[in-house]
Amino acid sequence: MGTTTDFSFIDHGSIVLLMPRTPEAAEHLRSGAFDGAQVWGPAIVLEPRHVDTIAYALESDGFTAELV
């Protein structure tokens, strides 16, 4: 059984979706970590300039993330 990445950053050019891939990641989004963020389905919509900062914060919280 392989390791599952907690979050995927899905690059759509002018926006990036932060998609939870594990139950723990989904709970982290629901916990208020991203209050006020634009939501699209289970994902959070980001501007590309924020990806590095958010990836670092997620890593600091013990999550893994990948850019797809």
Side-chain angles (χ1 to χ4, degrees):
M1 184 165 134
T3 303
T4 301
T5 302
D6 295 305
F7 289 96
S8 292
F9 289 97
I10 305 168
D11 188 353
H12 289 280
S14 62
I15 64 166
V16 175
L17 299 178
L18 176 60
M19 181 71 69
R21 298 293 184 190
T22 63
E24 295 81 11
E27 179 58 33
H28 187 64
L29 292 184
R30 286 191 300 272
S31 73
F34 291 90
D35 276 351
Q38 180 68 39
V39 177
W40 188 357
I44 301 295
V45 180
L46 307 171
E47 292 182 35
R49 64 189 172 119
H50 297 298
V51 169
D52 288 342
T53 302
I54 292 173
Y56 179 77
L58 290 172
E59 183 179 287
S60 295
D61 288 343
F63 292 100
T64 57
E66 66 180 352
L67 179 63
V68 295

